[in-house]
Amino acid sequence: MSAMTLSDYLKTQAGTDPVRRDVARLVESLAEAAIELHHAIASGAADREGSGGAAVTNGGGDVQKVLDREADRLFSEAARRAPVAFYGSEEQDDAVALDADAGLALAIDPLDGSSNIETNVSIGTIFSVLPVRAEHRADSATVFRQPGRDQLAAGYFVYGPRLLLVLTVGEGTHAFGWDPASNTFVHAARMTIPERAKEFSINASNRRHWDEPVLSYVAACEEGAQGPRGRDFNMRWVASMVADAYRIFLRGGIYIYPGDRRPGYAEGRIRLVYEANPVGFCAEQAGGAASDGLQPILDIVPTHLHQRTPVVFGSREEVVEFGRAVADPASRAETSSLYGHRPVGGF
């Protein structure tokens, strides 16, 4: 029996539901753009980027590379081929209105981890699909202020040794690998994050800026079997969110990007709408969890497209443990309730 393609999977999931069919069309359009971007990356386009000209910053305040802008162009065009009313990108200051009659909004980080391009580290694209309701048409600024629980679909592409798509449409999280021979994505696995972690991912070079609860949690992991956790941990940090996420989804672990004491870092550096929310949705649908340290990521109501947040995701047991570490003693019982008694699909 031949492996199921992404198109077959999406058709099965959509059935006759018009909204799900629109989501399927959008995901397939994004997959086409990802293949084109994969070829650009693999061809060494980054190596040919010129060093002249003034630096350009994106809507999130980061310096753009040529491939950042090319990725944004490709995915913007993909959105235009699909039933998308609003396109919100890390690379643009404001959301762009597309098809006024369409029912979907796309929030996207077109090229996550682009600072790693020159070192040939896996990079990716992260996306979130949201519904467009009547109240959003009356005030388009509100469309990307929906909490992550409203997402219709989410996922991320990984441009590495193999081009991969991790996707959820709210019925589990699935991995698809691109097959060059057929030029299509083929189902690889239904992903289930192991509940217990043996690895943690955090940028330890920022240790001097961390708040005490983060220091305490990491120290307990580093003490290994002789410490309070009673088992050994490895530390992994790729500095490419999609690469860290894919490893954690496969073999368990926890990803931590906290706020810290540096100017501009109090709320972390990860964008809520088009990074934390889609990865959080995928994590929950894979049996894991995602939070800002104290509350589930998907419950946060964004205030604007480029909002930042601390983020913790991965193995459910470890996300709960981190929540206990950052809660003050008086709130430990409340935190335990928050993380321990949520319905299926939440914590």
Side-chain angles (χ1 to χ4, degrees), residues 3 18 31 93 98 115 132 171 223 242 251 303 334:
D93 292 341
L98 300 180
S115 61
V132 177
E171 297 184 12
E223 290 174 23
V242 294
R251 64 192 197 196
T303 59
E334 179 182 343

Side-chain angles (χ1 to χ4, degrees), residues 54-102:
V56 178
T57 57
N58 60 26
D62 293 331
V63 175
Q64 288 181 328
K65 294 180 176 293
V66 171
L67 271 178
D68 286 313
R69 298 192 289 276
E70 175 63 8
D72 187 54
R73 182 189 69 80
L74 288 171
F75 287 108
S76 176
E77 290 180 355
R80 293 177 188 276
R81 296 193 299 268
V84 174
F86 301 102
Y87 175 80
S89 168
E90 181 187 17
E91 304 305 331
Q92 301 194 32
D93 292 341
D94 301 303
V96 178
L98 300 180
D99 181 354
D101 297 322

Side-chain angles (χ1 to χ4, degrees), residues 91-218:
E91 304 305 331
Q92 301 194 32
D93 292 341
D94 301 303
V96 178
L98 300 180
D99 181 354
D101 297 322
L104 303 178
L106 175 66
I108 191 166
D109 180 351
L111 194 58
D112 177 72
S114 59
S115 61
N116 290 309
I117 292 173
E118 292 89 344
T119 55
N120 203 31
V121 172
S122 293
I123 53 181
T125 298
I126 311 173
F127 64 90
S128 168
V129 181
L130 292 159
V132 177
R133 304 186 178 96
E135 61 267 28
H136 303 137
R137 299 186 195 282
D139 181 3
S140 60
T142 64
V143 72
F144 294 113
R145 296 177 190 164
Q146 301 179 71
R149 297 220 179 272
D150 288 359
Q151 292 175 103
L152 300 172
Y156 55 91
F157 295 94
V158 183
Y159 311 105
R162 186 182 184 193
L163 173 57
L164 295 164
L165 165 63
V166 174
L167 173 71
T168 183
V169 293
E171 297 184 12
T173 297
H174 296 262
F176 298 83
W178 177 62
D179 174 24
S182 63
N183 197 37
T184 190
F185 283 88
V186 177
H187 190 265
R190 177 165 183 156
M191 308 198 81
T192 302
I193 303 174
E195 287 193 10
R196 204 172 197 215
K198 296 181 180 179
E199 297 177 347
F200 65 97
S201 297
I202 191 169
N203 187 350
S205 69
N206 294 325
R207 183 188 300 265
R208 67 193 183 279
H209 304 295
W210 295 342
D211 293 328
E212 183 57 38
V214 180
L215 286 167
S216 176
Y217 171 83
V218 171

Side-chain angles (χ1 to χ4, degrees), residues 205-272:
S205 69
N206 294 325
R207 183 188 300 265
R208 67 193 183 279
H209 304 295
W210 295 342
D211 293 328
E212 183 57 38
V214 180
L215 286 167
S216 176
Y217 171 83
V218 171
C221 292
E222 291 174 335
E223 290 174 23
Q226 289 71 43
R229 302 304 308 282
R231 65 181 188 272
D232 293 327
F233 286 79
N234 287 327
M235 187 178 76
R236 298 284 186 266
W237 179 252
V238 181
S240 172
M241 188 178 183
V242 294
D244 281 312
Y246 192 71
R247 183 192 66 252
I248 287 168
F249 279 40
L250 277 179
R251 64 192 197 196
I254 184 171
Y255 175 98
I256 308 164
Y257 205 127
D260 62 42
R261 294 191 294 270
R262 288 173 293 171
Y265 279 74
E267 299 303 322
R269 300 298 290 176
I270 303 299
R271 281 70 172 191
L272 172 62

